Every structure is written in C-alpha cells, then in structure tokens.
Amino acid sequence: MTESSAPVQTSASAPAATRRWYVVNTQATREHVAAAHLQRQGYQVFLPSTWRTVRHARKVRTVKASYFPGYLFVGLDLEVDRWRPIESTVGVLRIIKGADRPLAAPAGLVEALLEGTGPDGVLNLADPVTRPGQSVRITRGPFADQLAIVERSSGEDRVRVLLSVLGQQAPVEIVRHDLAVA
C-alpha cells in the first residue's frame, strides 16, 4: 500500500474550495486494489491505514491494514469530475450516495485524517497522552489487544504499563505509539 496511502493529484484543475472528499465502499479486503485502479484513472485517493497484529498458526505478525476496512476516500468536484466511472472500477462496490448523487464526507474530517497520517502512510490517531493510572490497550506486538494500566513514562517514546498475567500485575515496557486509550 505504498502509493495508495498518500493523496494523488488529479488532472482536473478545479479550485480546492469546490473539491470535497467522498466515501467509496470497496469489496472486502480489496481496498488497495480499488485505490490503485482509481489512481490509475486520475482520481485523488486517500486510503488510511494502521498497523494490526495478526496471529495465525502460532505466529504473530504485524501488517499494514486499512483503518476503515471496506472504505476509502476520493477527492472530487462534482461539477467538473466524472464520478460514475468510480462505481465500475475494479474493487469498488459503490460510492456512498443520497438521492442518486454522491454524499460528501463531513467537512474537515478527511483533512484531519490526512494531518494524522505519517510519512509511512499510517494513520496515528491513537497516540495517547499517557498518565499514571490510565487504562490503555496494547495495539501491536506479542501483547496485542491486551488491556493494561499505565504505571509511568520511561523515556520519550516508551511507557511502563502493568499487564495482568495469571492474576498478577507484570510491568512491561511498551513503545508509546503501540498504545491506544481503552
């Protein structure tokens, strides 16, 4: 998902004030395919992603996955850009519409998501302000999806949390961006 995470400029020369973001529903697990095909057609595409921990066959892997599974955003000016070809694009099910016309995402929503996206294309909205006693969820690594309590900050990018293991509290050092407020 290297090229589909950042917005791509379109050939349409519409003013930025009339261009809005629209939500596109994609086929299951085909967000990247749909984004690549839409970009090839010249559409401005934003596919937010996040890191997810996947457990399979006693192995734990961290993979880049869609932040909103089954959805992506397309920047359009409905007065200039043709939006109907989007619905016949490989990987796309439909563009979200109301009264047979695409519905724009709330103003500022996608822009806020774009600001929260790092250079690697990963959306990082879960960077919590950690304070002692706060309940957090571990999002990545061998303790993924476990709840913990913040004990203290231990450095600029690490946090010491208390993880409940076998009925006892075990202190564990976790990278700050691997935590989300529970």
Side-chain angles (χ1 to χ4, degrees):
M1 188 188 83
T2 55
E3 63 264 2
S4 61
S5 59
V8 174
Q9 299 301 320
T10 61
S11 58
S13 58
T18 59
R19 183 165 296 279
R20 297 285 308 270
W21 289 99
Y22 296 86
V23 181
V24 174
N25 184 213
T26 66
Q27 295 172 347
T29 67
R30 309 242 323 162
E31 300 91 356
H32 303 292
V33 172
H37 283 278
L38 287 168
Q39 284 178 338
R40 270 190 230 125
Q41 294 176 48
Y43 291 104
Q44 183 180 14
V45 175
F46 175 56
L47 177 58
S49 63
T50 186
W51 292 108
R52 294 254 163 83
T53 300
V54 178
R55 296 174 186 183
H56 179 70
R58 290 189 263 163
K59 292 184 182 178
V60 177
R61 307 182 288 134
T62 302
V63 297
K64 196 183 282 190
S66 178
Y67 197 83
F68 302 109
Y71 295 93
L72 57 84
F73 300 97
V74 175
L76 296 169
D77 178 357
L78 293 182
E79 303 304 319
V80 177
D81 297 329
R82 295 179 36 185
W83 60 270
R84 292 206 186 266
I86 292 173
E87 293 190 318
S88 60
T89 300
V90 174
V92 172
L93 289 175
R94 68 189 66 81
I95 188 165
I96 305 300
K97 296 184 290 248
D100 201 36
R101 202 165 156 82
L103 290 174
L109 172 74
V110 177
E111 290 80 4
L113 293 173
L114 282 166
E115 287 179 17
T117 303
D120 58 354
V122 174
L123 187 60
N124 190 12
L125 300 178
D127 191 19
V129 177
T130 53
R131 60 185 182 282
Q134 182 178 19
S135 180
V136 293
R137 178 177 302 278
I138 301 171
T139 59
R140 215 164 46 164
F143 300 114
D145 298 327
Q146 298 293 319
L147 293 176
I149 305 294
V150 174
E151 185 179 39
R152 63 181 166 85
S153 290
S154 56
E156 186 176 311
D157 62 339
R158 298 195 62 82
V159 177
R160 184 175 171 140
V161 297
L162 296 174
L163 187 65
S164 181
V165 178
L166 299 174
Q168 294 185 352
Q169 299 289 324
V172 178
E173 296 243 346
I174 304 284
V175 178
R176 186 178 307 273
H177 64 79
D178 288 349
L179 298 175
V181 177

